[in-house]
Amino acid sequence: MSGALAALQSALPELPLSTDPGDLDHYGRDWTRRWPPAPLAVARPGRIDEVQAIVRWAGEQAIAIVPSGGRTGLSGGAVAARGELVLSLERMNKVLAFDAIDRTLSVQAGITLAAAQQAAGAQDLYYPVDFAARGSCTIGGNIATNAGGIRVLRHGNTREWVAGLKAVAADGSLLDLNRGLVKNASGYDLRHLLIGSEGTLGVIVEASLRLTAPPPPSQVMLLALPELAALMPVFKACRQRLSLSAFEFFTDRALHHVLAAGAQAPFADSHPVHALVEFDVDDDDAQSDSDHDGQARALALFEHGLEQGWIADGVISHSQADAAALWRLREGITEALAPHRPYKNDISMRISAIPGFMTQIQALFARDYPGFDVIWFGHIGDGNLHINILPPERMSGEDFLARCEQVTGQLSRALAACGGSISAEHGIGLVKKPWLGDTRSAAEIAWMRAMRTALDPAGLFNPGKLFDP
Ligand code: FAD
Ligand code: MLT
Ligand code: ZN
């Protein structure tokens, strides 16, 4: 252990501090698997004062810190490949308090999303941020990426659910931001500056999460569609006629990989596109008694879609097990694709811009990705497409990446032209850094840099992520 690390260890004798190669490898990477991990060491503090001491030590030693949650990130934000100290929040994983009147749950930042959801459920309440990485990703990581997921259509992103947070700043001081207040008109809301900051402005150590009433009973319908262009009319009809809690989509190629990973085929025939629709069984806002029956309205919508030629087939859940099996087809995509090392896009646009954009991008991808496996899926009800690319057989990793980056340049310029964003929910991290300037203006980036420099002048937190120093 170097002298600097030995000094840290002797200042904090109880701190688990590791330079074990297995730990460096494990804690130095996220789901991107692109950069070989090379951290200096891994620190796993258990208390806020330890985090503060580590940050002060890092400042004195000029050692960069990578704040680390569950490392399920898909943009390289938690990668430590340049001798940084990984500051893992995994031991700070407790529920601290619940307040029934405020309807808030205070947690340490290293708690997993699933554990926070369970703690909300134990109070007969609901924390609505949700997605497939729930078992491993952490609330700190969710806040740092302003995570989205499968319930954004109804409940919004993580940002909507953070009533307050505590963060350790670059000088080691502890900021207590918004303190759970519903209204607070006392200047800049620094809580929101930390949300989505990708570990570049401070280490989030605690959060106060807003909870809401549990959702009403729901059903899931999987619709088979003849083409991507059918998605928008189906979405429009679903939004008009059902009380929607999710509207997701995936193509036949996505389904192919999920089935290859062991899921059950939903239909006898193959179809180009699928929409997964989740809706309330009873709709309290319905105008008449017959309108209350969500299933009846879903079936009428299905018939209408068949007549219009937007829908080719469909299946509806009759039990929680059915619903889970249908969700697995959508939620299993990331894991099914991971062994193939996909190049991932996570793009965002206004929902109204989707039809024109999809046509444009289909043409671009057909031309520039010949023989590649192009897999479309995502949260289309939020205007968020995840288009994953797999290489043709025998293409080298280097050639594949070079081609994907070249096409991403064109994709990014097309997004800029329609007012979209190069990242919807995964963040910029290392992966999307080259294109930040396409969909954020020079003035916006100058503001971001100015904030970063003011709050972390030495560039201690996650340097090289989001933008270069
Ligand atoms: P990490 O990967 O550890 O870190 C992510 C970023 O946050 C890094 O920049 C890191 O430095 C920073 N960070 C982490 N903890 C802290 C902290 N305490 N203080 C300051 N900065 C911190 N994302 C979505 O938005 N929607 C989805 O639907 C979705 N689905 C996914 C499905 C799968 C199967 C997988 C593997 C990932 C998915 N993701 C999704 C991406 C990922 O899970 C999210 O970005 C998640 O919020 C990351 O949390 P984490 O704890 O793993 O963060
Ligand atoms: C998803 O929606 O499944 C996630 O964002 C993960 C991914 O894009 O692979
Ligand atoms: Zn997603």
Side-chain angles (χ1 to χ4, degrees):
M1 203 176 265
S2 74
L5 288 177
L8 177 63
Q9 189 72 86
S10 78
L12 298 173
E14 288 169 19
L15 174 72
L17 182 64
S18 173
T19 53
D20 173 81
D23 285 342
L24 301 185
D25 190 61
H26 177 69
Y27 289 91
R29 63 175 78 213
D30 66 4
W31 268 57
T32 50
R33 300 283 186 275
R34 201 202 290 181
W35 291 270
L40 171 71
V42 180
R44 298 184 300 120
R47 299 189 313 263
I48 291 178
D49 62 296
E50 287 184 336
V51 176
Q52 292 177 285
I54 293 168
V55 169
R56 289 198 182 103
W57 164 87
E60 284 156 19
Q61 304 287 340
I63 289 171
I65 288 178
V66 176
S68 187
R71 290 173 309 286
T72 63
L74 299 168
S75 71
V79 166
R82 298 195 309 189
E84 305 95 329
L85 179 85
V86 174
L87 196 163
S88 165
L89 279 294
E90 75 180 7
R91 291 178 61 236
M92 296 175 64
N93 60 4
K94 313 268 179 316
V95 172
L96 299 171
F98 165 69
D99 192 302
I101 300 200
D102 293 329
R103 279 189 160 182
T104 51
L105 187 74
S106 299
V107 296
Q108 291 181 308
I111 191 171
T112 63
L113 171 57
Q117 290 170 335
Q118 276 156 20
Q123 303 296 341
D124 296 324
L125 288 169
Y126 180 60
Y127 181 65
V129 175
D130 196 19
F131 48 92
R134 59 183 77 77
S136 338
C137 70
T138 63
I139 291 296
N142 297 169
I143 294 174
T145 54
N146 186 26
I150 56 177
R151 307 267 168 235
V152 172
L153 182 70
R154 176 172 284 175
H155 295 289
N157 300 292
T158 298
R159 185 180 297 286
E160 316 295 331
W161 299 93
V162 179
L165 60 84
K166 288 186 187 169
V168 174
D171 63 0
S173 60
L174 182 67
L175 300 167
D176 189 357
L177 303 175
N178 199 56
R179 304 180 304 282
L181 298 175
V182 175
K183 302 179 87 171
N184 184 0
S186 61
Y188 307 147
D189 193 334
L190 301 176
R191 157 191 54 160
H192 284 297
L193 187 57
L194 266 290
I195 299 171
S197 61
E198 301 191 32
T200 63
L201 297 180
V203 183
I204 298 158
V205 287
E206 285 181 17
S208 167
L209 304 176
R210 288 195 202 294
L211 307 181
T212 187
S218 61
Q219 271 180 293
V220 176
M221 184 164 66
L222 185 72
L223 300 172
L225 315 186
E227 54 181 343
L228 280 171
L231 273 168
M232 274 300 117
V234 170
F235 176 58
K236 199 170 155 199
C238 287
R239 195 123 100 155
Q240 270 168 356
R241 296 166 189 225
L242 302 174
S243 182
L244 280 184
S245 51
F247 190 94
E248 301 276 315
F249 89 108
F250 49 93
T251 56
D252 52 348
R253 291 307 304 161
L255 184 60
H256 164 84
H257 289 283
V258 177
L259 298 184
Q264 284 288 316
F267 302 113
D269 297 326
S270 161
H271 300 275
V273 184
H274 303 82
L276 186 147
V277 187
E278 190 183 79
F279 55 92
D280 297 347
V281 175
D282 295 311
D283 185 350
D284 289 343
D285 297 332
Q287 302 294 310
S288 69
D289 275 356
S290 61
D291 276 355
H292 274 293
D293 185 346
Q295 174 169 305
R297 280 180 296 128
L299 295 178
L301 180 152
F302 173 69
E303 294 295 333
H304 177 67
L306 281 179
E307 281 161 24
Q308 296 293 318
W310 305 328
I311 297 176
D313 205 345
V315 54
I316 195 163
S317 67
H318 292 293
S319 65
Q320 287 193 355
D322 288 352
L326 293 177
W327 265 116
R328 183 180 170 198
L329 301 174
R330 164 64 185 90
E331 292 211 298
I333 298 170
T334 307
E335 225 168 322
L337 296 182
H340 305 284
R341 302 173 76 100
Y343 183 87
K344 293 176 105 52
N345 294 291
D346 164 41
I347 60 178
S348 178
M349 68 213 71
R350 279 172 294 109
I351 303 166
S352 58
I354 288 181
F357 195 83
M358 272 190 167
T359 310
Q360 191 184 354
I361 292 312
Q362 275 177 293
L364 169 70
F365 284 11
R367 190 191 69 201
D368 284 4
Y369 282 137
F372 291 62
D373 195 359
V374 178
I375 299 153
W376 296 63
F377 64 103
H379 319 281
I380 191 149
D382 314 326
N384 178 185
L385 309 180
H386 296 309
I387 312 170
N388 282 211
I389 317 292
L390 304 186
E393 269 182 47
R394 286 188 289 281
M395 182 175 248
S396 76
E398 257 175 35
D399 288 350
F400 174 57
L401 185 61
R403 170 65 67 92
C404 292
E405 298 215 315
Q406 183 254 322
V407 179
T408 302
Q410 299 184 62
L411 175 69
S412 177
R413 285 188 286 280
L415 281 164
C418 82
S421 173
I422 192 66
S423 178
E425 57 177 13
H426 298 162
I428 296 294
L430 293 169
V431 173
K432 300 296 177 209
K433 215 166 46 163
W435 303 285
L436 180 67
D438 286 339
T439 60
R440 299 298 296 263
S441 70
E444 283 180 295
I445 294 175
W447 274 45
M448 289 201 263
R449 278 184 194 285
M451 288 176 201
R452 170 115 169 82
T453 309
L455 299 176
D456 179 11
L460 204 59
F461 293 135
N462 232 355
K465 312 290 170 56
L466 192 50
F467 36 64
D468 286 317

